[in-house]
């Protein structure tokens, strides 16, 4: 059997991260609320970040943790609760995992079906946070369709 | 009464830890998922560790915490929930204990009924993680029967 | 100008990490000392780990931090001191950086000149730790020459 | 004596933070190195952040700590060493302060002499990091002169 010594991972560029932050911020302004918006790379490390003026201090860390959670498990954070709610040990236990957020506002960033990073938003109810994330993901869809 | 100054602890060798990791990894490949697999010694300290290629970043710490939990209390992590569920103070409070995982995927490593370490796995649902652990424990049963 | 949305990173496989651990452990046995040996991936996350039987508890974390330092800055840990010794602010300040080790025993893992991870060893004087790392790197040279 | 119940703090806007990040990144590209660039607000909390593609993992936290140090004490990080070097208790003790960086690459952001935030850069030697910060501060000088 042939041995493999390395494998390849795609990770988000700063160029893309900035455009996603801009699109997300624009949505935040439209909603009239103050959000922290975070992008992490494939490995979950911070890539780019904006805190809108007046964003709650608490949102700064939550946004980062949501982006981390999404990239580090390749799952949108709002998908966790349905998987937990009828599974009492997970519902009781998993929620204590360091940096794992299990409510909406974090999404993996997928290009050609491959996770290349994560986006996380905090500042409103998670239903607002999700809209801001989705605006960031929509610009990605537009950009990669153009490419 | 005679005084005693020390007592003896049996702890897992690297030799055994490696064979358990190999057996666990083989099961992981068979399941077609990407797991982090951790072995700790009697004292709960890291002994040996594998992250399969593509294992979620989040799994790296959870696998280590499961192995720690199992060795540090001599209890499989999936046994906790049944003990907690009708005991509200524990159910509410114990789950916050640093590094304690209360869902499946961590087992003490027992030889002749004595805990000599722990194995912890993360990467799938805990039902998958448990299968991977059990594959590691099965090779231990084979090896110690041979001995 | 053409936009780029992702860039590619090569990261070490578990297959290679195991062979490096085995080669390093063999050197450790030859030296007659007890080492902790850690391999991290490109992003500095734990990939594979062995603690030889009797390795000092303190070595477990140091080995991991050395591997992290080497991968996270693409620099062997023993190269830091010469760069610091005549630069008082760095000598006084940089050494306090979280997880950064500035003495020998951590090396980046390079394939075709690209950093794909790190190896870190602790348990002896750093001159011994370095020999153990180098044995891990030598097997990499042999394997990639064969390929 | 008249009592006062609040006082006013000026803090950096996201608008300014982005322009400083852009100017700093441009300098980083010119230097041909990979930097992490962080802006914090008046209170030292993260305001905006870029990691250039390929920036060392270790730089992500150091850049944030430099920006924090600069804003949180209203002092450029490279000014610390001269103040410490002949003061043995500080030289020995202060350097252990959590998040305080005492070498170059962090500057307070001053507008009309008032500290409104901090900028921190890591990725090269601190002499490079300082150049990248200074490029961020120069655009601020241009912008506020225009105003």
């Amino acid at each position: 059997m042939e041995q493999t010594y390395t494998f390849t991972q795609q990770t988000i560029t700063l160029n893309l991260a900035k455009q996603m932050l801009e699109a997300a911020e624009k949505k935040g302004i439209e909603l009239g609320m103050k959000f922290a918006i975070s992008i992490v790379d494939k490995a979950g490390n911070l890539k780019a970040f904006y805190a809108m003026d007046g964003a709650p201090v608490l949102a700064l860390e939550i946004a980062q943790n949501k982006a981390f959670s999404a990239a580090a498990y390749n799952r949108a954070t709002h998908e966790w609760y349905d998987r937990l709610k009828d599974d009492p040990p997970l519902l009781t236990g998993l929620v204590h995992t360091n940096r794992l957020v299990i409510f909406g506002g974090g999404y993996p960033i997928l290009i050609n079906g491959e996770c290349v990073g994560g986006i996380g938003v905090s500042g409103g109810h998670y239903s607002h946070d999700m809209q801001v994330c989705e605006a960031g993901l929509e610009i990605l869809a537009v950009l990669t369709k153009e490419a």
Side-chain angles (χ1 to χ4, degrees), chain A residues 51-71:
Chain A
M52 291 171 67
D53 299 334
V57 175
L58 207 56
L60 306 181
E61 187 174 343
I62 297 176
Q64 292 181 61
N65 287 345
K66 285 178 176 177
F68 172 79
S69 295

Side-chain angles (χ1 to χ4, degrees), chain A residues 7-8 15 31 34 50 54 60 66 69 74 83 85 87 106 118 122 139:
Chain A
F7 65 105
T8 299
N15 171 53
L31 292 174
K34 316 299 188 187
Y50 285 177
L60 306 181
K66 285 178 176 177
S69 295
N74 190 11
R83 292 168 178 266
K85 71 177 178 348
D87 193 333
S122 179
I139 190 72

Side-chain angles (χ1 to χ4, degrees), chain A residues 80-132:
Chain A
W80 275 106
Y81 187 73
D82 275 351
R83 292 168 178 266
L84 300 180
K85 71 177 178 348
D86 301 318
D87 193 333
L90 279 188
L91 185 61
T92 312
L94 191 77
V95 293
H96 297 285
T97 305
N98 197 23
R99 301 198 65 191
L100 177 62
V101 178
I102 61 105
F103 49 91
Y107 289 78
I109 300 170
L110 302 175
I111 295 189
N112 300 325
E114 186 179 341
C115 177
V116 302
I119 181 168
V121 171
S122 179
H125 182 262
Y126 61 72
S127 57
H128 303 120
D129 300 340
M130 290 169 74
Q131 290 178 61
V132 175

Side-chain angles (χ1 to χ4, degrees), chain A residues 28-59:
Chain A
I29 292 166
E30 190 187 311
L31 292 174
M33 304 170 72
K34 316 299 188 187
F35 298 92
I37 312 164
S38 178
I39 309 265
V40 300
D41 67 13
K42 169 74 180 173
N45 290 321
L46 191 62
K47 185 72 189 170
F49 179 90
Y50 285 177
M52 291 171 67
D53 299 334
V57 175
L58 207 56

